[in-house]
Amino acid sequence: MIEKSKQLFERAQQSIPGGVNSPVRAFKSVGGTPIFIDKAKGAYLYDADGNRYIDYIASWGPMILGHAYEPVVKAIQERAVYSTSYGAPTELEIEMAELIISMVPNVDLVRMVSSGTEACMSALRLARGYTGRNKVIKFEGHYHGHADSFLVKAGSGLATFNIQQVPGITAGVANDTLVAAYNNLEQVKQLVAENKGEVACIILEPVAGNMGCILPEPGFLEGVRQLCDEEGIVFILDEVMTGFRLAPGGAQEKLGIKADLVTYGKVIGGGMPVGAFGGKKEIMQHIAPLGNVYQAGTLSGNPIAMIAGYTTLNTLKENRGIYKELEEKTIYLKQGLQQVLQDWGQPFVINQFGSMISIHFSDHPIIDFTTAAAANNSRFNKFFHAMLDRGIYLPPSAFESWFLNNALSYQDLDETVKAAKESLAAI
Ligand code: PMP
């Protein structure tokens, strides 16, 4: 029964475009009524009708420790009485920067912003300002937020809704964005050769999460890194999803790959609106007020956001075992799902890395956007609803990774596998 969600969705559409403040939440591609959330605790979401769901979205990544993690809630409550914003520097911002630098390789200086979009947009501007070049190479199906330059052949909601071209983005901007297929080093080399001396940066998701979860093939990231070194191109790792999720040092640590600039979001804010970009001093010192590459924010470094992020990151730094636990849980889930999918007998692919995982109903490996788009995604949409009916909250699109949180118990995982078995029988 989701009567209240239905009523709320009707009402929401009168005052909010599509009834939601971010498109994928609308369930437009999977159909049906989006579930309106009332509250969450640990691994569970509770909707407006009082139904409980096991959560595999984790607010699209941030809630790695589970919802309403007590130390984070307490830290927010304690800070809030001292005002929610100052617009002036605080010691807490230094502590946050120092903590990030202590956890992440290759970051000398870090600037806090309020979203992953801002982080990637600012890193791009900085790369352009630093190199004096205009072009950016990105990858098909990767999503770096909704700044104009990135909305070319992008993943996430644009892939879900099949938005090929975004009205409002000028041809001039779009022409400076060059697109290669993920895991295709030859294409990247070709683009660089065709645009010799014009490419400011290459940006990518080290482990892609915005077309389902897709792993980098051996040598791919290393090849891009080397190309950047040879051509004076800034290598930007978008760790908005992977940062502090795959390891304390994100994909850079887990995969042993070095970025020139790195962007963060999601986990870094512990559920508050936070992003960050950082990197080598040589590049970062071009940001205002040190340099003229301008970037600013009224709420950047906001004290409530900082304390939520700081408490989350510090918990992860002090308890590295969380990453091992999370990975073990994710592999356990993968093995359970593999078993029921095999018994079911139709083709499938499960890609998993750390605590990121996704299913594609496909008879070919999923290595890039083309292969992800060629999977049977309408079957995924049915699976999504069958799971939702059984109290399992998956991302409402095959073009999204699932995120595990550490509040999930093995009983929750068993319940999920059981629901998957029933769901497959039902679709
Ligand atoms: N980069 C990546 C890899 C992302 O997954 C996202 C959001 N899903 C963003 C950037 C944009 O972050 P935000 O939604 O916080 O603007």
Side-chain angles (χ1 to χ4, degrees), residues 104-109 123 130 201-206 221-222 224-226 228-229 233-240 242 249-264 277-284:
V104 171
N106 308 310
V107 170
D108 302 326
L109 292 172
Y130 171 70
C201 60
I202 299 179
I203 184 168
L204 53 78
E205 298 177 45
L221 294 175
E222 293 77 5
V224 177
R225 169 74 271 181
Q226 193 186 338
C228 287
D229 286 340
I233 296 169
V234 177
F235 185 38
I236 307 177
L237 279 186
D238 178 349
E239 294 233 41
V240 169
T242 53
Q252 286 200 90
E253 175 185 332
K254 184 98 175 162
L255 297 169
I257 189 88
K258 264 190 181 175
D260 296 320
L261 287 178
V262 58
T263 61
Y264 294 104
F277 63 102
K280 293 178 183 165
K281 188 169 179 199
E282 184 198 332
I283 304 176
M284 287 299 290

Side-chain angles (χ1 to χ4, degrees), residues 27 98 110 405:
F27 283 18
E98 288 173 351
V110 58
N405 70 77

Side-chain angles (χ1 to χ4, degrees), residues 174-186:
N175 289 342
D176 279 334
T177 301
L178 312 172
V179 183
Y182 184 52
N183 281 323
N184 189 334
L185 186 58
E186 283 317 306

Side-chain angles (χ1 to χ4, degrees), residues 193-210:
E194 286 167 5
N195 297 273
K196 189 111 185 125
E198 291 184 82
V199 178
C201 60
I202 299 179
I203 184 168
L204 53 78
E205 298 177 45
V207 177
N210 283 295

Side-chain angles (χ1 to χ4, degrees), residues 68 78 112 196 205 246 269 273 282 303 310 366:
E78 282 174 6
M112 303 308 301
K196 189 111 185 125
E205 298 177 45
L246 298 181
E282 184 198 332
Y310 183 89
I366 305 294

Side-chain angles (χ1 to χ4, degrees), residues 22 60 114-120 142-146 156 204-205 207 209-210 238-242 263-266 274-275 400 403:
S22 197
W60 303 91
S114 301
S115 69
T117 294
E118 269 187 84
C120 295
H142 287 211
Y143 180 71
H144 306 293
H146 63 89
S156 188
L204 53 78
E205 298 177 45
V207 177
N210 283 295
D238 178 349
E239 294 233 41
V240 169
M241 273 184 177
T242 53
T263 61
Y264 294 104
K266 302 190 189 277
V274 182
E400 304 284 353
F403 297 105

Side-chain angles (χ1 to χ4, degrees), residues 31 65 125 146 231 240:
L65 299 172
R125 184 180 308 132
H146 63 89
E231 301 288 336
V240 169

